[in-house]
Amino acid sequence: MTQNFITFEHPRTGITRTAPIGFNWRLLQFGALLPMYQREWKLCLLVVVGGALTFSVSNVLLAFFYNKLYVRSLIAAGFLARGTEDGCIAEVEAHLGLSLPRHLPSDETPSFVAHRIQNPTPEPAHAQQA
């Protein structure tokens, strides 16, 4: 069974993170060690408290949702989607049910910026008089 991965990059720091999409086998096997390794302290607390209250039965349920929670925490931290291992980002968005902010390569100009460069807006009349 193959699993798709999506790569995120922080625009200011350049740090990249990879997030699997779908069921998380590593959480099922390692429990709270996975979010500790990823330095996701809120998710670690969720896994520890849920595991303590339900004798680790909650890890089975969390394994279905952990990757989506991890992607949301990356987006909240300012990471932008860079690409996927298989397929395209739109397929991953459809699978997760999220709209992912995307990273544009430095040589690619967004269409709205290119439109402004080609068709500059004239200055208002009151600004030309000064």
Side-chain angles (χ1 to χ4, degrees):
M1 180 177 142
T2 62
Q3 188 172 22
N4 197 7
F5 291 88
I6 185 164
T7 304
F8 288 90
E9 184 178 349
H10 198 278
R12 277 187 266 133
T13 62
I15 297 172
T16 59
R17 300 278 172 97
T18 303
I21 305 302
F23 188 81
N24 195 325
W25 289 99
R26 294 181 295 173
L27 181 75
L28 194 61
Q29 294 170 345
F30 301 112
L33 294 176
L34 175 65
M36 273 191 239
Y37 174 74
Q38 294 173 336
R39 295 183 179 161
E40 293 292 333
W41 306 117
K42 292 178 185 176
L43 295 176
C44 181
L45 183 65
L46 176 69
V47 172
V48 168
V49 170
L53 294 176
T54 63
F55 301 106
S56 296
V57 173
S58 65
N59 287 357
V60 175
L61 296 175
L62 281 174
F64 286 100
F65 303 106
Y66 180 80
N67 291 331
K68 187 173 183 176
L69 294 173
Y70 181 54
V71 167
R72 284 186 180 183
S73 71
L74 288 175
I75 292 170
F79 283 83
L80 302 174
R82 183 84 169 157
T84 62
E85 192 173 276
D86 295 327
C88 63
I89 295 177
E91 292 173 0
V92 173
E93 286 178 330
H95 185 269
L96 291 175
L98 294 172
S99 177
L100 301 175
R102 300 190 185 184
H103 185 280
L104 293 173
S106 59
D107 60 344
E108 185 178 329
T109 306
S111 60
F112 64 89
V113 174
H115 176 71
R116 287 186 185 167
I117 293 171
Q118 292 171 357
N119 304 324
T121 56
E123 293 186 25
H126 60 80
Q128 293 175 354
Q129 294 174 358

